[in-house]
Amino acid sequence: MINRELVIIGGGAAGIAAALGAYENGIKDILVIEREYEYGGILQQCIHNGFGLHTFNEELSGPSYAEKYYSLIKDNECIEFMYNSAVTEINDKCVTVQSPEGVKKINAKAIILATGSRERPAGAIGLKGDRPVGIYTAGTAQKYLNRRGFLVGKRVFILGSGDIGLIMARRMTLEGAKVIGVAELQPYSNGLARNIKQCLEDFDIPLYLSHTVKAVHGKNRLESITLVEADEKLRIIEGTEQEIECDCLLLSIGLIPENTLIEEMGVVLDPKTKGAVVDDTYITSIEGIFACGNALHVHDLVDFVSAEAKRAGKAAADYILGNKKEGTCVKNVLGNGVSYMVPQSFHKGNEVEFCFRVNRVFKDCSIHVYGNGLDKKIRKMGIVPSEMQKVVLKKEEIEELDGELFWEVI
Amino acid sequence: MELVCINCPRGCHLNVEKINNEIVVSGNSCLRGKTYAVNELTNPLRVLTTTVGIESEYEERLPVISSAPLPKDRVMDVSKALKEVRVSAPVKMKDVIVENILGLGIDIIASKTINR
């Protein structure tokens, strides 16, 4: 049995920042367990630039962002990375690890989950038809191309307008593939406006809003798909079918926090975020178990993942050193238009950053937050579900709150 | 004319007008937005990110980036030219992989360190 102060599961953007946050707040015995042979997680295959504007005030590629952030803890004797190692179980505060040296059991005073997210696969949307070769999640295609140099198709259709799909539309076009189009079931895009511009419009790739793929065809290799229109209730409109020839279908239909490990422990998950329910110290419903980054809720920007994970690292340090925040928590109550809120509850006595998403498109609206001693409206030009919103409430603003804080978009 | 700024994830909606032969930009939240809009009308530019082959113990591709934005209509040519490029480890992040690519005055640089 090995004893460590803090164990962090996952050595991607969140894990690295959590380690830094814990170290800077007094923890000198940190183990980061990473299943790959290197740090950085998904950043290593995101070779496009646009990362780091908030953190480093410059635009970096994914691998560069990872390298630059890692350099802040490199050669730090208090932070050890254990590579090629997968955590198979957490039992109380003991983690079981499959490592190149065999199975190990490691006891920790606190554990931070920084396991990232996974892509929703074809099964998640009940895609009709056979399963010929040629249907991949956008991230899988990205890994093949950017890490291995394999182009997974020559005539490509993309379902879902998530950013990874848009990035792959450009990437595969530059590598010589023909990207025929992108279909999005919603009447609005789920990707960033800049990616619609630089990844689709730059290459004259059409974006079919209110469209989806009804069926896939092909026995061994994908041969075609059926594209169909959808109405405002997202139901297929019969009679609008069109066949599109393609040998590859990429799915960019959303990410789900990876929480298998803590789900088995009985940690309470939020049905909306699919991540753990946490307070403002990122502690889950089980003592000493923390969660951050995309494992907690799916972020738009890695910069926000790093910032959140650093705070989680500090919170875990405070917990280990006995400086845990005491007192009852104020609960967030979600009203009109608010899809989810992280953290779900919080302590008074410090400023708190709230992250949330709306459940539909709002134009010319206000974020209304109110409770005992607080009634605040924040004007917004427009809010879309694909953009995470952040509101910081100061210590003085939340001082008089009693049990609940109400949120709505009006 | 309306443009979406591609400089950062914020994606500002820019209004671009030509008044007396001068390009007037509004809706930008920083100076980069203005520069982008003017370039977009006169000489559109794009950063290229791609990979080149690498001889290494554990990696097959080296991610690279253009040292500055390239003329938009030359991005495809540069991407094609880089298909022939192969390097050997060790490579440090920011190492120049191809100097002055296609005579455009812009270098292609490594965006990752690969030691072995």
Side-chain angles (χ1 to χ4, degrees):
Chain A
M1 186 72 81
I2 307 160
N3 288 303
R4 307 302 291 251
E5 294 253 286
L6 174 63
V7 165
I8 299 170
I9 306 173
I16 298 170
L20 179 64
Y23 172 76
E24 285 180 348
N25 287 281
I27 303 303
K28 304 294 175 218
D29 174 22
I30 302 167
L31 177 67
V32 182
I33 304 171
E34 168 57 47
R35 69 181 170 192
E36 293 289 333
Y37 59 88
E38 62 180 347
Y39 62 82
I42 208 70
L43 283 167
Q44 295 290 6
Q45 69 182 59
C46 296
I47 63 158
H48 53 280
N49 72 332
F51 304 92
L53 271 169
H54 296 262
T55 313
F56 300 117
N57 205 19
E58 64 176 315
E59 255 194 298
L60 301 164
S61 73
S64 293
Y65 182 93
E67 196 166 325
K68 192 153 182 173
Y69 211 106
Y70 181 76
S71 73
L72 303 174
I73 58 167
K74 197 181 170 188
D75 305 324
N76 186 326
E77 284 171 5
C78 303
I79 304 171
E80 185 197 336
F81 273 66
M82 185 178 181
Y83 289 111
N84 299 305
S85 301
V87 174
T88 53
E89 197 189 0
I90 310 173
N91 200 338
D92 196 15
K93 262 173 252 152
C94 174
V95 299
T96 307
V97 189
Q98 298 270 7
S99 80
E101 292 87 42
V103 177
K104 290 182 179 175
K105 298 232 183 235
I106 302 165
N107 259 330
K109 290 181 181 161
I111 296 168
I112 302 179
L113 257 284
T115 44
S117 60
R118 58 192 149 91
E119 295 177 281
R120 287 177 76 209
I125 51 166
L127 198 59
K128 281 183 196 153
D130 289 330
R131 287 292 178 266
V133 176
I135 304 172
Y136 304 92
T137 59
T140 304
Q142 187 179 47
K143 185 167 188 174
Y144 272 124
L145 185 53
N146 294 348
R147 303 303 307 268
R148 309 289 305 278
F150 295 137
L151 193 59
V152 296
K154 293 192 176 102
R155 273 181 71 81
V156 185
F157 196 85
I158 299 174
L159 175 59
S161 60
D163 285 307
I164 315 167
L166 302 178
I167 295 285
M168 283 313 289
R170 171 177 65 182
R171 186 77 188 97
M172 291 182 83
T173 304
L174 284 173
E175 290 295 321
K178 168 79 185 159
V179 179
I180 303 153
V182 177
E184 170 57 54
L185 180 61
Q186 303 284 351
Y188 51 84
S189 153
N190 271 312
L192 295 171
R194 74 190 296 233
N195 287 335
I196 300 288
K197 169 74 187 109
Q198 63 185 350
C199 299
L200 298 186
E201 289 172 14
D202 270 10
F203 301 99
D204 298 318
I205 299 167
L207 172 62
Y208 300 97
L209 295 174
S210 298
H211 277 74
T212 191
V213 172
K214 188 182 171 186
V216 296
H217 314 284
K219 202 148 189 198
N220 297 316
R221 180 83 203 186
L222 183 67
E223 287 164 13
S224 67
I225 55 139
T226 306
L227 181 68
V228 67
E229 278 179 45
D231 63 18
E232 67 278 4
K233 288 195 172 142
L234 311 181
R235 292 171 308 203
I236 283 174
I237 304 173
E238 300 292 340
T240 60
E241 292 85 355
Q242 53 174 308
E243 295 289 302
I244 292 180
E245 264 181 50
C246 56
D247 65 359
C248 178
L249 175 68
L250 296 190
L251 303 173
S252 181
I253 51 178
L255 302 169
I256 311 165
E258 175 60 69
N259 278 310
T260 322
L261 283 170
I262 55 169
E263 221 174 338
E264 284 168 3
M265 296 173 74
V267 164
V268 178
L269 299 186
D270 183 319
K272 281 286 185 202
T273 60
K274 310 270 196 292
V277 169
V278 294
D279 69 14
D280 57 316
T281 68
Y282 302 97
I283 198 162
T284 66
S285 61
I286 294 185
E287 271 291 282
I289 309 286
F290 297 78
C292 60
N294 277 359
L296 181 58
H297 60 125
V298 175
H299 295 62
D300 304 338
L301 301 184
V302 71
D303 299 80
F304 297 160
V305 167
S306 297
E308 178 183 281
K310 209 172 162 191
R311 289 195 298 270
K314 177 189 185 301
D318 290 344
Y319 172 86
I320 292 167
L321 300 173
N323 306 323
K324 186 174 171 282
K325 278 190 193 173
E326 297 297 342
T328 51
C329 273
V330 179
K331 225 177 140 234
N332 286 315
V333 181
L334 310 185
N336 181 53
V338 185
S339 163
Y340 76 73
M341 181 77 58
V342 172
Q344 284 81 357
S345 64
F346 57 95
H347 296 85
K348 295 190 279 186
N350 276 311
E351 72 169 37
V352 180
E353 182 184 288
F354 299 91
C355 296
F356 65 98
R357 285 181 198 273
V358 291
N359 57 20
R360 56 185 188 273
V361 176
F362 287 91
K363 280 203 174 119
D364 207 11
C365 59
S366 290
I367 297 163
H368 185 204
V369 48
Y370 59 99
N372 198 29
L374 173 70
D375 191 351
K376 189 173 182 176
K377 282 185 185 143
I378 303 150
R379 296 277 305 153
K380 289 275 170 181
M381 297 267 283
I383 316 182
V384 292
S386 59
E387 278 175 31
M388 190 170 84
Q389 302 296 312
K390 284 207 217 186
V391 171
V392 177
L393 293 179
K394 295 195 190 79
K395 183 185 168 193
E396 310 82 69
E397 290 179 298
I398 56 176
E399 209 159 49
E400 287 172 39
L401 292 176
D402 38 34
E404 291 175 327
L405 179 64
F406 297 86
W407 296 82
E408 62 181 359
V409 182
I410 45 172
Chain B
M1 167 181 197
E2 223 181 278
L3 286 175
V4 171
C5 181
I6 61 167
N7 271 303
C8 84
R10 191 167 171 157
C12 291
H13 288 264
L14 311 174
N15 264 310
V16 193
E17 283 175 284
K18 241 185 179 167
I19 302 171
N20 300 333
N21 256 346
E22 204 187 317
I23 299 169
V24 181
V25 185
S26 58
N28 54 315
S29 0
C30 73
L31 201 64
R32 302 194 313 157
K34 193 181 171 186
T35 313
Y36 167 76
V38 173
N39 280 336
E40 203 61 8
L41 262 64
T42 53
N43 175 32
L45 301 168
R46 294 290 182 272
V47 170
L48 172 70
T49 55
T50 183
T51 65
V52 297
I54 186 162
E55 296 296 333
S56 150
E57 262 177 50
Y58 53 93
E59 298 286 2
E60 289 164 71
R61 309 296 299 176
L62 170 72
V64 295
I65 187 166
S66 59
S67 59
L70 301 157
K72 187 179 155 189
D73 56 8
R74 300 303 304 278
V75 167
M76 198 55 122
D77 300 336
V78 173
S79 178
K80 274 188 191 146
L82 288 172
K83 284 197 177 168
E84 311 304 322
V85 175
R86 248 193 117 67
V87 295
S88 286
V91 173
K92 289 253 169 297
M93 180 166 80
K94 291 186 178 167
D95 278 358
V96 174
I97 302 302
V98 183
E99 214 173 311
N100 190 15
I101 185 98
L102 301 182
L104 293 166
I106 288 163
D107 299 334
I108 298 299
I109 58 177
S111 83
K112 175 176 178 165
T113 297
I114 296 177
N115 287 321
R116 300 195 308 276

